[in-house]
Structure formats: structure tokens, C-alpha cells
Amino acid sequence: MPLVTSEKMLSDAQKGGYAVGAFNVENMEMAKAVIAAAEEMRSPVMLQTTPSTVKYGSLETFAAIVKAEASKTDFSVCLHLDHGNSFELAVQAMKAGYTSVMIDGSHETFEENVALTKKVVEVANAYGVPVEAELGKVGGKEDDLEAEADHNTDPEFVERTGVSSLAIAIGTAHGFYAGTPVLDKERLSDCKKVVSVPLVLHGASGLSEEDVVECVQRGMCKVNFATELRVAYTDAEKQLLKENPETFDPKKLGIAAMKAVKEQTILRMKMCGCTGKVQ
């Protein structure tokens, strides 16, 4: 079916007490693997690309890949710009066919973040595309951006910007964790009480199953996974080359990598509670 926006998908998750898994993809193989997992699990799904990924492959290329794969399905697939780092990139993504965008102004001051986000929302409304924003810095590294965690979350932000979903900082970090993460789950529960739009958990790679499940139970409606998919992909190729160093066909490497990414995606969909949610 055609690509859908994230609005109904996340609204359904919010009402149903589960989260939609949002998976960062870097190439055709990863996109096919994530969609294959969603088909097997009968799960709505979001595929995401970051600024460095679209710089590598272009917005148009990824939009074409995901659109083509989604057209073979009978369930909801959304293509999302993750951590859009400028107004211009967000608009370009909408024009290219992305059906959801994130504008990340969390590195700016509160007022600058509000102004930037509101500007993107105004354009997105004309395209019928929902916008995710981030308030409070999620620590760690995402693409070329590195930040110290900052747990500032103000419900006024949603009212002033008109965003459709909000990523909040509760102690997660992008990339894998150096130690055991300590999440401020009470902050999450408090945010759910005062923020009306669906909440988003960034930095889920490396979290325990218990942490992911509890965050979903406390109100997260979208959970992002990136680093662990990249690791699964490359580890599978490394293993194949270790066992069969004479392998030279890229398709064989791709098949092994897709299998690993699909398996990892299924595990995370189960943790999010979104399996079997396709009507």
C-alpha cells in the first residue's frame, strides 16, 4: 500500500498502550529486512534515515526504495526523517516523499527551538506531514552531533509549536551505552500527564527488554532503534567472510545481513508490543 503518515499510527499506539518501532535504515537491504519483519509480525512500522544517511544516498533514493517496498505490502509503512538538522532538509524531505519528519532543535535555546520547530510545522501542515521535535537533549552521538544530556521538558513547547509527537530526554543516549543506563522513568510518567501528543524514546539501542517494555507502559508511543541494526548488519557480513573468505558476491553478503537485521527488528517489535496490530 502507499506510504502513510505517522499521525494515525502513533495515535493508535497511544490509545492502545503500545509503541511503534522506528528503525533506521542505511541501504536497500536494511529497508527490505525491516519491512519483511513488519510483514511477518503484522506490525505497523516506521523506517527512518538520518542526515548523514541521506547525504550518502539522497532523500529521493531512500524515498523511492521505501515506497517501492511498501507498495508490495498491505500494512502501514511510514518513512521518517530522523534528527532533521535544518529547516531546509525537513522541507526537502517532504518534497521527496517522506511522510513524517523530525526537526531537532534541541541543541538551540528553548526559544530558538520553538521558532525553528514552529516554522517547520507551518510548512508540514501544507504537505499534510506530521512533525516530531525534541525537547531536552538526549546524550551521546547521533550522526555528527554529540551532546550532553539535558532533561529539560516543558509542555508549553507542544502548545506553541503544534508538533505531532515529542521526543523527551529521560537518560537515554544515542549509540551503545558505556555502562548501565539509569532512566528517569518518573519523569516519563510526569510528562505523559501534561503532554497530549505521543511521546518518543530515542537512544533505545542497548536498553534492556525490561526498560523498553516499562517505558512503553509508562507512555512512549514510538521507540527508535539504530545502532544495534547497524551492528547486526555488519556482524553478519563479517561472520560470512570469516567462514567463507572467498565470498565476493555482494548479494550473498546482503542476504546474510538482511536475515540478521530482520531477526533484530522482530525482537524489538515484540518489546514495543506492536506485533499483530495491523488490522
Side-chain angles (χ1 to χ4, degrees):
M1 63 184 292
L3 293 174
V4 302
T5 74
S6 58
E7 189 164 14
K8 184 177 185 301
M9 193 181 288
L10 296 185
S11 175
D12 288 347
Q14 189 178 39
K15 294 171 186 174
Y18 61 91
V20 174
F23 302 92
N24 286 55
V25 297
E26 312 292 340
N27 54 24
M28 179 193 75
E29 288 78 9
M30 292 183 79
K32 289 173 73 72
V34 170
I35 290 177
E39 183 169 29
E40 184 172 323
M41 291 294 102
R42 303 306 296 166
S43 171
V45 68
M46 295 179 68
L47 280 70
Q48 308 186 146
T49 60
T50 59
S52 70
T53 300
V54 296
K55 183 178 180 181
Y56 170 74
S58 90
L59 291 161
E60 293 76 14
T61 296
F62 280 100
I65 290 171
V66 177
K67 181 180 178 181
E69 293 302 315
S71 70
K72 305 172 188 176
T73 72
D74 64 348
F75 56 88
S76 301
V77 178
C78 174
L79 177 59
H80 177 74
L81 175 67
D82 187 29
H83 285 280
N85 54 12
S86 69
F87 170 80
E88 291 76 17
L89 182 62
V91 173
Q92 289 168 9
M94 294 180 233
K95 290 180 177 179
Y98 278 59
T99 52
S100 180
V101 298
M102 177 189 182
I103 182 65
D104 184 357
S106 64
H107 294 79
E108 310 296 334
T109 67
F110 180 82
E111 290 299 330
E112 289 169 340
N113 192 355
V114 167
L116 173 61
T117 302
K118 186 175 180 180
K119 186 178 178 182
V120 171
V121 169
E122 288 172 351
V123 175
N125 286 343
Y127 279 90
V129 171
V131 176
E132 175 188 330
E134 183 172 319
L135 188 58
K137 299 182 183 70
V138 177
K141 186 171 183 179
E142 179 72 23
D143 275 2
D144 298 324
L145 298 175
E146 192 160 2
E148 293 295 326
D150 167 15
H151 294 181
N152 171 43
T153 302
D154 188 335
E156 179 189 355
F157 182 86
V158 174
E159 298 170 6
R160 291 179 60 185
T161 61
V163 293
S164 301
S165 59
L166 185 68
I168 60 173
I170 61 167
T172 54
H174 295 115
F176 280 136
Y177 296 90
T180 302
V182 179
L183 305 185
D184 190 346
K185 295 169 185 174
E186 290 303 320
R187 176 180 292 275
L188 166 55
S189 296
D190 291 342
C191 286
K192 183 185 177 183
K193 294 175 183 176
V194 295
V195 176
S196 59
V197 299
L199 299 176
V200 180
L201 180 66
H202 283 234
S205 289
L207 292 184
S208 68
E209 179 176 355
E210 293 74 18
D211 277 340
V212 173
V213 170
E214 185 174 353
C215 284
V216 173
Q217 291 173 341
R218 286 177 179 262
M220 289 297 187
C221 302
K222 172 178 178 268
V223 182
N224 289 12
F225 303 100
T227 304
E228 64 191 69
L229 297 189
R230 295 168 184 157
V231 171
Y233 187 100
T234 54
D235 279 355
E237 291 196 337
K238 291 174 186 175
Q239 185 62 32
L240 177 60
L241 289 171
K242 181 179 178 181
E243 296 171 357
N244 300 284
E246 73 283 358
T247 301
F248 64 88
D249 187 346
K251 294 189 294 298
K252 291 183 178 180
L253 293 170
I255 289 170
M258 283 191 287
K259 182 175 183 293
V261 170
K262 180 183 175 184
E263 291 173 352
Q264 188 67 31
T265 301
I266 287 173
L267 287 175
R268 289 312 197 180
M269 285 177 168
K270 291 178 178 178
M271 290 182 196
C272 289
C274 57
T275 60
K277 298 302 182 181
V278 170
Q279 301 299 319

